[in-house]
Amino acid sequence: VKMETMMYLLLLLGAALVRADDFTQIHTALAGTDGSGNSNAMSISFQTESDLPAAVRFGKAADDLSMQVPSTSSSYYATYDHHAVLPDLDPGTQYFYQIVSDGSASSSVNSFSSAPLSGTDRGSSVNFAVFGDLGMVNGDSTRKYLTSQASSSGIDLIFHVGDVGYADDSFLHAGCYARFCYESAWNEFMDAMEPIASKVPWMTTPGNHEADCHDPSCMLSADKRDKLSNFTAYNSRFRMPSEESGGVMNMWHSFNYGPVHFIALDLETGFPGAAEEKRYVLKCGGFGDQIAWLEEDLKAAVESRKERPWIVAGGHHPMYNGGSVDKKMQAAIEPLLAKYGVDVFFTGHVHSYERDYPTLNTTTVVKSYEAPGVPTHVMIGGPGNDEMNEGMRRILDDIEAGVKSDPSRARTDEWLSGLSAGNRDMIAVVDKEHYGVGRVEANMTHFKFEYVQTTDEVVYDGFVLTQ
């Protein structure tokens, strides 16, 4: 009897150790593709502290989760990142899902809507938010706005063009200079995004702040430098549709939603002379030939323009900023944007908002958005992060931060010094005073962009592209 009692207690203990709150940082991303290029699956990603065998149950009703897919897991440092791809979804349909582990624990039930078929009535429009450079610090108003949009079906997806959470800045926070906070900063940000990203796909590109951990703890530890460099945390925590689109890891990929073909680019290492082509603070890069992939992807996108009339590209570093131009990016990428008729090029990195007139070769082609024939560049790098105060943008001040130097500053300064003088006449509107994100409503004939200042949810700027 004593042995049976002991076994029963051990089973109870095992069940207690696996709780619903062990499944953290739940987020979704578009996945899969049918024969016509429509996304027909959804990736459910989450993290656990131990290597739990987990699965995702799902179905079309919250009380009927009759289908189940196991997750795959991996660990790059201390915790385990899980990804489960829910396949063969009906288009434009609400699904409910729940994470489970051996039947002993489960998350709450969440829901998402699958992508519609392009060219159909439901697939003739899409609403999405777009921005770069969102962190925990100063990001509250933007997360509040995105939560409201995701909960009210105001957006179908998020296009986050790099600098995801600012974990590499964590050592500049109070109490973290002499303490390893890189992983906890990642976790805190991912948890904060869960109310949004568990409902709508969170599609990302890499930014410089995903490159490596360069706090004193990492710089003094060969083990940490090895495990937390070259975009490892970023590539482990997310699951972008690179396999489906011929891309590489989470560095570059493409996907379709309604009338838009989205191209997510690596503007950190992905072309000759890129800002972090071979090194940020630690060595990085070496992911492959993105430019060759980009041209093949654009060729396919042009062939499908009847179903998806808009081609949108995005990545972190801007090509044009303040009238200056990144000549190396321009040489590598701009000819392809022009040749295949990319409509909009979204970037971030500089912590402000800038809309340019339709521009090619550092020259404003037209000041109208009615079928301009060349890309419109929009930089949205000010949704709120560590390196912004509540008014004007700033770089963290060494003295105020209480440290001698931030080793990533040299890389930023090097990039800035490498920009070439351009043409300020290309600039249409700038906002350096507020936190903000972009919001797009696109249909088969019009592409409406609004820049929303998120503190007061005021539309500050906008334009409408036509075919």
Side-chain angles (χ1 to χ4, degrees), residues 16-25 47-49 105-108:
L17 290 174
V18 183
R19 306 179 310 274
D21 58 4
D22 284 321
F23 306 119
T24 62
Q25 307 170 36
Q47 193 175 92
T48 60
E49 291 188 3
S106 60
S107 71
S108 59

Side-chain angles (χ1 to χ4, degrees), residues 112-123:
F112 63 82
S113 290
S114 58
L117 295 178
S118 298
T120 63
D121 288 344
R122 173 66 182 84

Side-chain angles (χ1 to χ4, degrees), residues 94-145:
Q94 185 178 29
Y95 282 87
F96 297 83
Y97 69 96
Q98 182 180 47
I99 303 166
V100 296
S101 179
D102 285 350
S104 59
S106 60
S107 71
S108 59
V109 176
N110 292 301
S111 68
F112 63 82
S113 290
S114 58
L117 295 178
S118 298
T120 63
D121 288 344
R122 173 66 182 84
S124 64
S125 64
V126 61
N127 298 342
F128 65 92
V130 57
F131 54 86
D133 305 83
L134 179 61
M136 279 300 298
V137 179
N138 298 321
D140 290 348
S141 67
T142 290
R143 283 191 297 275
K144 180 181 177 182
Y145 173 76

Side-chain angles (χ1 to χ4, degrees), residues 20-56:
D21 58 4
D22 284 321
F23 306 119
T24 62
Q25 307 170 36
I26 300 170
H27 56 282
T28 63
L30 295 169
T33 182
D34 64 13
S36 301
N38 298 290
S39 298
N40 65 351
M42 191 72 73
S43 172
I44 310 297
S45 301
F46 55 97
Q47 193 175 92
T48 60
E49 291 188 3
S50 59
D51 192 14
L52 301 176
V56 177

Side-chain angles (χ1 to χ4, degrees), residues 262-384:
F262 292 83
I263 303 173
L265 295 172
D266 168 17
L267 300 181
E268 309 311 293
T269 76
F271 59 89
E276 284 86 51
E277 181 186 11
K278 297 180 180 179
R279 175 179 291 274
Y280 186 45
V281 176
L282 304 175
K283 290 181 179 180
C284 60
F287 294 103
D289 189 347
Q290 177 180 231
I291 302 304
W293 169 86
L294 175 59
E295 181 153 28
E296 292 305 309
D297 189 85
L298 283 168
K299 287 179 181 177
V302 169
E303 291 177 359
S304 299
R305 256 200 143 132
K306 181 179 179 181
E307 295 80 20
R308 302 177 193 95
W310 304 105
I311 301 176
V312 168
H316 188 57
H317 274 74
M319 184 181 301
Y320 296 114
N321 161 45
S324 298
V325 58
D326 184 330
K327 286 285 191 180
K328 293 176 181 177
M329 184 190 302
Q330 185 182 48
I333 293 176
E334 191 173 46
L336 294 178
L337 304 184
K339 179 179 180 180
Y340 295 100
V342 171
D343 297 288
V344 185
F345 192 65
F346 287 117
T347 60
H349 189 63
V350 179
H351 299 152
S352 57
Y353 168 73
E354 178 178 314
R355 168 171 64 88
D356 295 335
Y357 293 114
T359 297
L360 185 66
N361 296 327
T362 325
T363 302
T364 298
V365 175
V366 292
K367 292 191 174 182
S368 168
Y369 294 94
E370 295 183 7
V374 298
T376 296
H377 291 254
V378 184
M379 184 181 74
I380 316 165

Side-chain angles (χ1 to χ4, degrees), residues 138-161:
N138 298 321
D140 290 348
S141 67
T142 290
R143 283 191 297 275
K144 180 181 177 182
Y145 173 76
L146 293 173
T147 299
S148 173
Q149 289 286 300
S151 299
S152 63
S153 300
I155 53 175
D156 298 305
L157 63 91
I158 292 170
F159 193 29
H160 189 157
V161 289

Side-chain angles (χ1 to χ4, degrees), residues 7-19:
M7 292 297 294
Y8 177 71
L9 291 173
L10 287 173
L11 286 172
L12 287 178
L13 177 61
L17 290 174
V18 183
R19 306 179 310 274

